Amino acid sequence: MRAALFWLAAILLLGLIAPYLAPYDPSDFSFTPFEPPSLKHPFGINDGGMDIFSEWLYAYRNAILFGLSVASLGVILALLVGILSALWGGWFDWLMLRVGDILLALPNLLLLILIAAFFQPSSWLLALLLALLSFPLGARVIRAQARITRSSLHVVAASQMGGGSLYLAYRHLLPELLPLALLGALGRFKGAIIAQTTLAFLGLLSPMEKSLGMMIRQAMGFYYLEGFIYWILPPILLLWLLISAFALALFRVEERLNPRLKGAQLA
């Protein structure tokens, strides 16, 4: 698991510093359109006279930032709602379960497409909406585990000795629930990258924000050109790498949390 998480951390760090590695401004259109790959332009030039390699690096950074936003907001909401539901119970628990039922019934990606098409929100607002739509499943998992932990002897003893809800949540519940939160964060990160790529491919994100979906969409309009392959392959390969890396890390973390999965083989 450590190797998978280390590789994942390297991918995240590289994505965050990617713009500093870009040789040109991705919005600079002063180059010759459709120029083939060269030492100055490793991936060539697109139809607008922009360096594809620089666009690719900025799209990489934007994908990482979008995924981090959705994953972090989703985990915070899931932990907050799950732990408080387990500690307080009563009407708060009932209300959160009903809200979760409604949100889980909504088709997240379709709803995001409709909102992006009609209101043109920023990527940050879309990340917030996706986090709000996706946190109930993680909150239910955390709530179930928190209820088990809440009934353990050391937590009951701390409560009887005067420990309040905040103390119990911070001192006893949160440390034991963080691995589950990490598992949920990895899943949300992967889903967020897929959602952002889909929205960009459909042309529903701002063209000023470089994205892998936008690059794939633009490249497909020139499939008949010889240099088409140098334009479309980089974003597709990077998308595959990101999804595969998070899927592998998700599997390794889940294997560590569930000993019954050790030694299991995929059919």
Side-chain angles (χ1 to χ4, degrees), residues 230-251:
Y230 302 109
W231 189 354
I232 198 171
L233 268 185
I236 289 179
L237 289 177
L238 179 58
L239 183 62
W240 171 82
L241 174 63
L242 291 175
I243 294 175
S244 300
F246 280 94
L248 175 61
L250 184 64
F251 175 76

Side-chain angles (χ1 to χ4, degrees), residues 204-225:
L204 298 176
L205 294 184
S206 171
M208 301 303 295
E209 298 180 11
K210 304 299 181 181
S211 63
L212 301 177
M214 182 194 69
M215 292 184 67
I216 296 172
R217 173 188 173 92
Q218 291 176 338
M220 289 187 65
F222 301 94
Y223 66 91
Y224 49 85
L225 296 179

Side-chain angles (χ1 to χ4, degrees), residues 87-143:
L87 288 175
W88 293 349
W91 67 268
F92 182 83
D93 186 32
W94 180 88
L95 179 61
M96 290 300 99
L97 287 175
R98 300 294 78 79
V99 171
D101 289 338
I102 296 173
L103 293 178
L104 288 173
L106 296 175
N108 293 354
L109 185 57
L110 180 58
L111 188 59
L112 283 179
I113 290 174
L114 291 175
I115 293 174
F118 284 100
F119 301 103
Q120 292 87 41
S122 66
S123 294
W124 303 113
L125 183 55
L126 287 174
L128 175 60
L129 290 173
L130 185 56
L132 289 173
L133 291 171
S134 61
F135 88 89
L137 183 59
R140 292 194 173 203
V141 174
I142 290 174
R143 170 186 173 272

Side-chain angles (χ1 to χ4, degrees), residues 71 73-87 93 97 134-150 169 173-185 188 257:
L73 289 173
V75 164
I76 292 173
L77 287 172
L79 282 171
L80 184 64
V81 172
I83 291 177
L84 292 181
S85 293
L87 288 175
D93 186 32
L97 287 175
S134 61
F135 88 89
L137 183 59
R140 292 194 173 203
V141 174
I142 290 174
R143 170 186 173 272
Q145 186 60 39
R147 288 170 67 92
I148 296 174
T149 306
R150 176 70 177 85
L173 298 185
L174 188 59
E176 297 192 27
L177 296 174
L178 282 179
L180 280 177
L182 174 62
L183 193 65
R188 288 186 186 88
L257 293 178

Side-chain angles (χ1 to χ4, degrees), residues 35-38 41-45 51-54 56 215 227 230-231 234:
E35 184 177 328
S38 62
H41 307 288
F43 297 160
I45 304 299
D51 180 62
I52 297 176
F53 180 61
S54 298
W56 182 77
M215 292 184 67
Y230 302 109
W231 189 354

